[in-house]
Amino acid sequence: CASLAALLPFTRLLALCYLRHLPPPVSAQDRTAAASDWYKRQFQTAASLDPQNPIFQTELGNTLAMMGNLAEAQAAYQKAIAMAPNDPGYLRQMAVFSPKYEYQLHQLALPAARQAVILNPNDAATLDLMGQVLFKLNDLIDAGRFFERALQANSQYAAAHLHLGLLLLYQNDPQGAYQELTLARTLDPNSQTAEQSERLLQTYFP
């Protein structure tokens, strides 16, 4: 690939060729600090080879966030959004990052989630994410509305049942919460959603 990089001007091809030398991807839980630093360098290099590819910026943002470099992660996510402003997927990445790390929810997560909904108003995952952001901001009424909209878009979307169940627990509606958590567990078995639902059911409905 080094010889190709010297000969060919096609940066996208070069970046993909470069990434062939990356080891198999590991989960976030398996990345040590040293491994995260290594990934950071690789994605920085890949982004320099293909500077208009938002995927590399997003992966760089993910790695920087795990390293605790939240301002740098924010900048990487914002670059990805600027490169693909009509793709709601990159807005969702920002809307996930901000509440996950409790970082500038009003300034980052809320507008990113709103714009993602505008671009994809009938997508259950996007509507559910908007509800999660609002829940984090303690806007319980609007959070519930978006969870319900997510389920109107896709009644089989287990994550929205889980999040609505959590909201109902918070609002002291155990009957409604039990129903939603049970549905979440049933609809997506052997998943993280099912595991979280099972833990809540065992905790609140032993």
Side-chain angles (χ1 to χ4, degrees):
C1 287
S3 60
L4 283 175
L7 295 172
L8 298 176
F10 305 107
T11 57
R12 186 173 296 273
L13 174 63
L14 296 181
L16 293 174
C17 185
Y18 177 83
L19 283 175
R20 287 179 182 175
H21 296 289
L22 292 177
V26 298
S27 67
Q29 292 81 2
D30 292 335
R31 291 189 191 180
T32 63
S36 292
D37 188 63
W38 188 89
Y39 270 81
K40 172 186 173 182
R41 293 196 303 272
Q42 306 316 307
F43 284 119
Q44 284 174 329
T45 302
S48 69
L49 289 170
D50 192 0
Q52 296 305 311
N53 190 334
I55 294 174
F56 296 144
Q57 292 295 336
T58 298
E59 290 301 328
L60 178 59
N62 292 340
T63 301
L64 288 165
M66 283 187 289
M67 297 174 70
N69 299 333
L70 301 184
E72 292 181 55
Q74 172 193 343
Y77 291 123
Q78 287 175 326
K79 284 182 182 178
I81 292 168
M83 290 174 187
N86 295 319
D87 188 332
Y90 299 108
L91 290 158
R92 287 198 299 265
Q93 290 283 341
M94 177 72 86
V96 169
F97 151 74
S98 172
K100 180 178 180 179
Y101 294 95
E102 300 288 342
Y103 182 73
Q104 298 188 20
L105 272 72
H106 278 285
Q107 299 91 331
L108 299 177
L110 189 58
R114 281 175 174 163
Q115 185 62 23
V117 169
I118 290 170
L119 292 172
N120 205 357
N122 298 313
D123 179 66
T126 302
L127 294 165
D128 176 60
L129 179 57
M130 183 71 199
Q132 291 179 68
V133 171
L134 290 166
F135 193 6
K136 277 276 191 178
L137 292 170
N138 205 34
D139 185 348
L140 304 185
I141 294 176
D142 284 335
R145 288 172 179 163
F146 274 95
F147 293 145
E148 290 170 358
R149 282 183 60 185
L151 292 171
Q152 289 171 3
N154 181 1
S155 63
Q156 304 299 301
Y157 189 60
H161 285 290
L162 166 62
H163 299 137
L164 181 56
L166 279 168
L167 176 62
L168 293 171
L169 278 175
Y170 195 81
Q171 294 177 322
N172 197 28
D173 180 357
Q175 183 176 355
Y178 180 83
Q179 179 179 337
E180 295 299 328
L181 294 172
T182 302
L183 278 169
R185 181 182 61 184
T186 302
L187 289 170
D188 194 10
N190 303 316
S191 69
Q192 187 176 12
T193 295
E195 291 176 5
Q196 291 175 345
S197 300
E198 179 63 26
R199 284 197 298 269
L200 288 166
L201 286 166
Q202 290 181 359
T203 300
Y204 292 99
F205 307 98

